[in-house]
Amino acid sequence: KKVQLQYVDGLPTIICPPTVNTNTDPGVCSAGSVALGTPTGTDNCTGVVYTNDAPGTFLIGSSVVVWTATDVINQSATCEQTVVVSDAEAPVVTCPADQTISINGICSTTIGNWTPVSVDDNCTASGAITVSQSPASTTALYGPGDSETVTLTAEDQYANSQFCTFIVTLNITSIPQEICNGLDDDCDGLIDDADPSLTGQPVWYADTDGDGY
């Protein structure tokens, strides 16, 4: 009596490569040519083929890649691999050229609010980029030639930041002479008798001989 044995090929097994963490490519909000690695697996027959459904370009954030192991009789098994794309690229910010603020008749003004000439980012829209200024707009400039270095910092939605700087200088178009009126007329920070440039006042001499004159 003959006995017929039938061999049954079991399903292949597959283990995906580990999670891939990568950054966006320069200037864009995605990553191309991501190295995924190679899955491992077993099958009781040779000739297992591994494929995946990975896109050519991964967008920022988390994506799932499905790997499939297929044996010679088209039995298959799958696993999932995670690809995480992050933005580590700072915005590009361009400051104004150095600025001069001209005033007349007063000694002081503030540096004011300033905005970048341009600001751009690979992932965040220009209108959504946060721009901050240091020092504050209320910072005072006093006297001719006083200046402040202004820093503008741009930060994207992923907390990447870049800054630029420029100088704001005060120009007073007409500076009067100091007189004795309780004011800093010539904008040098000295008032009345404390200012060596005080004009139009009598000259006083010490009474060295004690005669009252």
Side-chain angles (χ1 to χ4, degrees), residues 39-63:
T40 58
T42 60
D43 188 66
N44 48 2
C45 290
T46 59
V48 175
V49 176
Y50 298 104
T51 58
N52 64 63
D53 64 353
T57 299
F58 288 89
L59 300 179
I60 192 167
S62 181
S63 301

Side-chain angles (χ1 to χ4, degrees), residues 144-155:
D146 192 17
S147 64
E148 283 283 351
T149 298
V150 177
T151 300
L152 299 179
T153 301
E155 183 173 308

Side-chain angles (χ1 to χ4, degrees), residues 16-172:
C16 274
T19 296
V20 174
N21 291 282
T22 188
N23 290 328
T24 55
D25 294 336
V28 295
C29 198
S30 58
S33 302
V34 176
L36 298 175
T38 304
T40 58
T42 60
D43 188 66
N44 48 2
C45 290
T46 59
V48 175
V49 176
Y50 298 104
T51 58
N52 64 63
D53 64 353
T57 299
F58 288 89
L59 300 179
I60 192 167
S62 181
S63 301
V64 174
V65 175
V66 177
W67 286 87
T68 301
T70 305
D71 66 15
V72 293
I73 60 172
N74 287 324
Q75 297 184 115
S76 63
T78 62
C79 64
E80 293 183 347
Q81 177 189 22
T82 301
V83 176
V84 179
V85 178
S86 301
D87 176 24
E89 185 172 344
V92 177
V93 56
T94 303
C95 274
D98 291 346
Q99 301 289 311
T100 298
I101 299 176
S102 294
I103 59 176
N104 189 25
I106 56 176
C107 293
S108 179
T109 189
T110 59
I111 63 172
N113 281 308
W114 296 91
T115 57
V117 173
S118 64
V119 60
D120 192 31
D121 188 66
N122 62 318
C123 285
T124 304
S126 296
I129 297 173
T130 301
V131 177
S132 60
Q133 173 180 309
S134 178
S137 61
T138 54
T139 301
L141 296 172
Y142 191 96
D146 192 17
S147 64
E148 283 283 351
T149 298
V150 177
T151 300
L152 299 179
T153 301
E155 183 173 308
D156 67 18
Q157 67 188 93
Y158 300 105
N160 303 301
S161 64
Q162 184 58 274
F163 69 90
C164 60
T165 62
F166 62 103
I167 297 173
V168 178
T169 302
L170 180 61
N171 174 52
I172 300 176

